[in-house]
Amino acid sequence: MANEKKIDCVILGLLSHEELTGYEIKKRMDKTLKYFWGASYGSIYPALSDLVNCGLATKREGTENKRNKLIYTITDAGRSYLKEWLALPVQKDELRYETLLKLFFGNEQNTEQALSHIKAFEEKIKKELPYLLEAEKALKDYLDEDTAHKYYLITVEFGVKTYRTYLEWCEEAKKILTDSEE
Amino acid sequence: MANEKKIDCVILGLLSHEELTGYEIKKRMDKTLKYFWGASYGSIYPALSDLVNCGLATKREGTENKRNKLIYTITDAGRSYLKEWLALPVQKDELRYETLLKLFFGNEQNTEQALSHIKAFEEKIKKELPYLLEAEKALKDYLDEDTAHKYYLITVEFGVKTYRTYLEWCEEAKKILTDSEE
DNA sequence: CTTACCATGTAAGGCGTTACATGATTCA
DNA sequence: TGAATCATGTAACGCCTTACATGGTAAG
């Protein structure tokens, strides 16, 4: 198996508590993981083939509501591999915010432009925050139903807290720019 | 010119207020931009060549303290290009935290392991925060010296605020895990 | 009947890192 | 004299996204 390819680990993680198709994996990721780990079909389907080739998952055909599906299941080897990866220290946490990049060079543009970048960022966050709050509520209500829920909650809390901080920062950033204008 | 290649824009941004060598560009980025935009020599040097080929920068040889250097200067075309890019809306702000990924799948490992990922994250943040605070102080003290400083301050404030929130989150995350143990 | 969603994939290309290769100078 | 830092690059490779290609089903 290739060394610690993250997309493989993510998929194994998702498969570790239910069988899924490639399409469903993408949906799961778009709903819950996309805040800290994105993936496209172009990386998911090839990764699934690799996992099968390496014996970390198995593939079988299935039919559901008249639709043909390729259902993937994690193997024991897959579970071991996942556990080994989880035990290793984190290699990299990376943040790449183009918004901050453009603001950093704000002196080369006019104040209005910088403000509009901040406002666009603010709107995006305000649009996404309700989904996180919804997830937070659902997880808190059913925390005891599944031991996995507290781990999901931890990651959602990260999102809620940072998003609220982002909004506070937007206010402060706008203030710094408008105060210095007059 | 290739369409909006970010590394080109970053370099032009840095060149927009001083001439620099490739080596110095890397140092600048490691000190200030690395919190939201990283880059390696393997991307910087080729990008510099591209910029010269496209007429967005010029290269000249220079000697300083007995050392030979290749000094890059932004051209008028380079300034225009930078301004155009700054005026365009932000395309993507991306966060990729492997720490959150491993915690999301925490149910597949033991609580101790999950806690150790949180602690490692906490330590990394605690180690970096002082540098941000130092930069914050310096920028606030000399805010009026240069109109660019308020833009730098905005990005540093982003770091300070989010890092403090990260530390609060670490406490909460640890609490969620240990409370559910007993 | 046509739009949206379900479902699976491939190919080309972009973008970047790591490791390698080289060599000068400074400082302890 | 050996390590650290200054300084510039290349090559191989990894990993991912975008766009393309295809076709079935559900719902309005």
Side-chain angles (χ1 to χ4, degrees), chain B residues 139-163:
Chain B
L139 285 169
K140 278 185 171 170
D141 286 349
Y142 301 104
L143 200 55
D144 301 323
E145 306 259 306
D146 188 327
T147 55
H149 285 182
K150 59 176 178 286
Y151 294 101
Y152 302 159
L153 180 62
I154 284 174
T155 62
V156 168
E157 288 298 318
F158 183 92
V160 169
K161 278 179 175 290
T162 57
Y163 273 33

Side-chain angles (χ1 to χ4, degrees), chain B residues 54-114:
Chain B
C54 298
L56 303 180
T58 56
K59 165 163 124 175
R60 75 162 199 280
E61 288 175 50
T63 314
E64 206 178 307
N65 341 325
K66 291 180 193 164
R67 284 175 198 277
N68 293 324
K69 295 180 169 195
L70 296 175
I71 302 164
Y72 292 88
T73 311
I74 193 168
T75 62
D76 287 341
R79 282 188 198 281
S80 302
Y81 184 83
L82 174 63
K83 269 180 223 270
E84 273 169 43
W85 171 68
L86 287 170
L88 292 173
V90 166
Q91 292 191 324
K92 194 164 66 170
D93 289 321
E94 192 185 18
L95 186 143
R96 282 216 154 195
Y97 278 14
E98 203 187 312
T99 298
L100 294 175
L101 202 54
K102 293 206 175 185
L103 289 175
F104 187 84
F105 299 122
N107 206 42
E108 303 305 313
Q109 55 191 331
N110 58 56
T111 311
E112 280 316 309
Q113 267 177 36

Side-chain angles (χ1 to χ4, degrees), chain A residues 71-120:
Chain A
I71 302 164
Y72 292 87
T73 311
I74 193 169
T75 62
D76 287 342
R79 281 189 199 281
S80 301
Y81 184 84
L82 175 64
K83 269 179 222 272
E84 273 169 44
W85 172 68
L86 287 169
L88 292 173
V90 166
Q91 291 191 325
K92 192 164 67 170
D93 290 321
E94 193 184 16
L95 186 143
R96 281 216 154 195
Y97 278 13
E98 202 186 312
T99 298
L100 294 175
L101 202 53
K102 293 205 173 185
L103 289 174
F104 187 84
F105 299 121
N107 207 42
E108 302 305 313
Q109 55 191 332
N110 59 56
T111 311
E112 281 316 309
Q113 267 176 36
L115 281 171
S116 81
H117 290 310
I118 297 171
K119 283 172 191 160

Side-chain angles (χ1 to χ4, degrees), chain B residues 28-72:
Chain B
R28 293 278 189 291
M29 292 192 69
D30 284 349
K31 203 170 69 175
T32 56
L33 295 174
K34 72 147 185 246
Y35 299 97
F36 51 89
W37 209 272
S40 62
Y41 288 122
S43 64
I44 292 169
Y45 284 113
L48 281 167
S49 299
D50 291 347
L51 289 174
V52 172
N53 286 338
C54 298
L56 303 180
T58 56
K59 165 163 124 175
R60 75 162 199 280
E61 288 175 50
T63 314
E64 206 178 307
N65 341 325
K66 291 180 193 164
R67 284 175 198 277
N68 293 324
K69 295 180 169 195
L70 296 175
I71 302 164
Y72 292 88

Side-chain angles (χ1 to χ4, degrees), chain A residues 93-152:
Chain A
D93 290 321
E94 193 184 16
L95 186 143
R96 281 216 154 195
Y97 278 13
E98 202 186 312
T99 298
L100 294 175
L101 202 53
K102 293 205 173 185
L103 289 174
F104 187 84
F105 299 121
N107 207 42
E108 302 305 313
Q109 55 191 332
N110 59 56
T111 311
E112 281 316 309
Q113 267 176 36
L115 281 171
S116 81
H117 290 310
I118 297 171
K119 283 172 191 160
F121 180 73
E122 193 175 15
E123 273 169 43
K124 204 178 56 188
I125 298 300
K126 278 186 177 165
K127 209 174 273 175
E128 286 184 356
L129 184 53
Y131 296 104
L132 286 171
L133 291 172
E134 200 186 308
E136 184 191 32
K137 191 181 177 325
L139 284 169
K140 278 186 172 170
D141 286 349
Y142 301 103
L143 200 56
D144 301 324
E145 306 259 307
D146 189 326
T147 55
H149 285 182
K150 60 176 178 286
Y151 293 102
Y152 301 158

Side-chain angles (χ1 to χ4, degrees), chain B residues 158-182:
Chain B
F158 183 92
V160 169
K161 278 179 175 290
T162 57
Y163 273 33
R164 283 190 172 135
T165 300
Y166 287 175
L167 294 179
E168 284 172 32
W169 168 79
C170 286
E171 292 308 319
E172 190 180 329
K174 286 189 286 183
K175 198 163 173 303
I176 290 174
L177 292 187
T178 49
D179 279 5
S180 69
E181 266 210 319
E182 73 255 6

